[in-house]
Amino acid sequence: MNKKLPKELQGKYDGIIDVRTKEEFEEGHIEGAVNFDIYSPGFAGNITELDKTKSYLVYCTSGSRSLQAVMFMRK
C-alpha cells in the first residue's frame, strides 16, 4: 500500500528517496518515491548521480538508514 506525503511536506522537496530494501519498498512506500537501497552495491552510484542543486526527502523505517544516507550525501 502506497502512502501520500503529508500535505505540510508536499512541494517542499524535489525528490523522495526511500533507502529501505527492495522488498520493504514493494510492501509500500510514499507515492513518487524512488528506491535506493542503502545496502545495495549501486547505492553510491545512485546518490552521486543526483542533482546537487535539488533538495531530497530521505526516509526509511526507523531513521537509522536514512541518517546514514544523508551523511553519505553530505560528503
Side-chain angles (χ1 to χ4, degrees), residues 20-35:
R20 299 175 301 152
T21 64
K22 178 182 176 185
E23 293 77 20
E24 289 173 303
F25 183 82
E26 289 175 352
E27 287 176 8
H29 56 273
I30 296 172
E31 288 182 9
V34 294
N35 182 222

Side-chain angles (χ1 to χ4, degrees), residues 26-65:
E26 289 175 352
E27 287 176 8
H29 56 273
I30 296 172
E31 288 182 9
V34 294
N35 182 222
F36 292 170
D37 179 352
I38 197 167
Y39 299 129
S40 78
F43 176 76
N46 289 333
I47 295 298
T48 57
E49 291 178 13
L50 293 172
D51 184 339
K52 292 175 178 51
T53 65
K54 304 215 177 211
S55 63
Y56 300 93
L57 172 68
V58 181
Y59 78 98
C60 66
T61 303
S62 67
S64 178
R65 290 176 282 183

